Amino acid sequence: MKKSEQTKAKLVDAVIKLINKGQKISVASITKEAKTAYGSFYRYFNNLEEVHEAAIIDVALGVAEDLDKKLEKEKSNLFKVYYGWYIAIDLYKDTYTANWLIDHPSSINKAWVLTDPATFNWLQEAIKQKEEPGLNEENLRHFKMALPYLHWTYQNALRELLRGRKSIHVYLDLMNSINFLDLPRKTHKKYLKKVADHIK
C-alpha cells in the first residue's frame, strides 16, 4: 500500500475508532486519532460527510468479508442470505451511526450495493443446489427487483433500533412484511426461525 493510501486508510480507521468510543467526530479529533497532520485530512476528503461515508463502506465490506468466512461451513446458502440481512440490521445499531445514516441514506445504500455480489452468489448457489422445491432464476430476478426497496426500507429499521427495539425484532418485522425472495410463505418463515434460533 502506498503511503498516500496508508494515510487515507488511517483517517478512515480513526473515524471508526472514534465512533466505537462514542467520541465527537471532527477533523481535529480524526487527525489526532490517526496521528496525522490536521491539513492531511483535506488531501483526501473535502468534508466530514465524505470520510463518514468511507468509514461506513469500509465497515460494511469488512463485515461482509468476515461473514463469508464465518459461514463457510454452513451448508444452506439460503440461510446465509437470510442471516446476512440480520447482520446488516444489527451492524449499525449504535445511536450515533444510526442517526447519521438516517440523515445520509445514500451512503449506506452505496455500501449495500458493494456487498450485493456476495448475496447474489449465495442465492445462485442455492438455486444450483435446488435447496428448496421450485427455487429458480425467477427468485433471483424477484430479489434483484426488491433490493432497491429493501435498501430504502433500511432507514425505517434504523429508526426502530433508535426507539430501543432489539435487532432481531426489527429484522423479523421487516422480513415478515417483505418476502424478498418470493418464496412460499411457509418456507420464508422457516428461514426466519432459523435465524432467530441461531442468534439465541
Side-chain angles (χ1 to χ4, degrees), residues 14-160:
V15 173
I16 296 168
K17 287 178 179 176
L18 289 169
I19 290 172
N20 290 337
K21 292 177 183 177
Q23 295 181 7
K24 184 181 177 182
I25 309 294
S26 66
V27 175
S29 64
I30 292 169
T31 50
K32 183 180 178 182
E33 180 71 31
K35 295 181 173 64
T36 62
Y38 184 94
S40 66
F41 177 89
Y42 292 100
R43 290 193 201 117
Y44 307 100
F45 303 102
N46 291 316
N47 50 51
L48 289 173
E49 288 190 9
E50 284 188 6
V51 75
H52 267 99
E53 183 174 281
I56 294 299
I57 289 173
D58 190 70
V59 169
L61 289 175
V63 168
E65 188 178 331
D66 290 344
L67 186 62
D68 198 32
K69 292 176 183 175
K70 181 180 177 182
L71 297 177
E72 194 173 6
K73 294 181 180 179
E74 171 60 49
K75 293 180 181 178
S76 171
N77 284 289
L78 277 179
F79 173 79
K80 292 178 183 180
V81 175
Y82 276 84
Y83 184 66
W85 273 93
Y86 166 74
I87 295 299
I89 287 174
D90 190 58
L91 181 58
Y92 295 115
K93 61 188 176 184
D94 72 271
T95 303
Y96 178 89
T97 308
N99 275 313
W100 192 86
L101 287 172
I102 287 169
D103 291 336
H104 303 82
S106 62
S107 295
I108 191 60
N109 289 352
K110 287 179 185 177
W112 292 154
V113 166
L114 292 172
T115 63
D116 286 344
T119 311
F120 288 144
N121 288 338
W122 290 334
L123 186 50
Q124 285 171 330
E125 281 298 310
I127 293 168
K128 185 179 176 182
Q129 295 169 14
K130 299 179 180 178
E131 278 192 30
E132 293 291 341
L135 184 67
N136 57 46
E137 292 295 325
E138 279 300 302
N139 299 96
L140 179 61
R141 186 193 65 78
H142 179 88
F143 177 60
K144 287 179 179 178
M145 180 182 68
L147 209 49
Y149 298 97
L150 267 172
H151 288 165
W152 287 103
T153 306
Y154 186 78
Q155 307 305 313
N156 190 61
L158 292 173
R159 291 186 181 93
E160 290 295 300

